[in-house]
Amino acid sequence: MKKIIFSICTALFLTSCYHVEVNCKDFKTGTFEFTYEINGETKTGKSVRTDTLSVDYYENKIDTFTIRWVTECEFIGRKLHPVDYSDSKPIQMKIISTTEDSYLLEYNLLEDQSTKKRGTVKKLK
């Protein structure tokens, strides 16, 4: 019984010491590179973001999104010129953790958790 209690206490102690670094302010604006997957193929895109706009370059396309920061680490993006109704749905983006030059991003269509995905974004400038 003592071994079980000791094991539980040790596990709780070790997990309480785990700290994920999140320094979102360094990633609010700048030029970023991201990878994404379409039909099983990994591709690379680029994004230039200000406080209120994001211009994304991918697959020889350019999309512009308005940006509204909800918290220090979470923003909502909405296409400036959607082509149809599904294209106009806002995207919720949340920075989960950061390193010196990149962050782990979790994103989904707003209010649709079934579309949730994760990706890594690297800051270029």
Side-chain angles (χ1 to χ4, degrees):
M1 184 67 169
K2 287 182 180 181
K3 288 183 180 181
I4 293 172
I5 292 174
F6 178 75
S7 296
I8 292 172
C9 290
T10 302
L12 287 173
F13 174 75
L14 291 175
T15 57
S16 68
C17 292
Y18 180 70
H19 174 69
V20 175
E21 181 183 347
V22 182
N23 184 13
C24 300
K25 67 179 180 175
D26 291 344
F27 298 100
K28 281 195 165 188
T29 62
T31 302
F32 304 91
E33 182 178 81
F34 57 91
T35 57
Y36 59 98
E37 190 173 306
I38 294 182
N39 300 325
E41 187 179 345
T42 301
K43 301 186 178 209
T44 303
K46 183 177 159 186
S47 179
V48 179
R49 188 167 58 229
T50 67
D51 283 332
T52 58
L53 287 176
S54 179
V55 181
D56 294 357
Y57 304 87
Y58 59 96
E59 287 192 341
N60 298 319
K61 297 179 187 176
I62 300 174
D63 276 334
T64 304
F65 294 83
T66 58
I67 299 294
R68 181 176 57 87
W69 287 91
V70 179
T71 67
E72 184 75 18
C73 296
E74 183 177 348
F75 63 92
I76 307 295
R78 186 183 298 263
K79 278 193 180 181
L80 200 55
H81 304 290
V83 294
D84 57 25
Y85 174 73
S86 65
D87 204 34
S88 69
K89 293 181 179 180
I91 300 172
Q92 179 178 18
M93 301 190 192
K94 184 186 273 188
I95 298 173
I96 303 298
S97 64
T98 61
T99 65
E100 187 176 309
D101 67 344
S102 67
Y103 62 89
L104 178 62
L105 177 70
E106 189 172 79
Y107 60 96
N108 55 276
L109 292 176
L110 188 63
E111 300 178 2
D112 187 354
Q113 296 297 314
S114 69
T115 62
K116 187 176 283 189
K117 295 182 182 179
R118 283 188 171 192
T120 303
V121 180
K122 182 177 181 178
K123 187 168 185 175
L124 302 175
K125 297 183 207 176

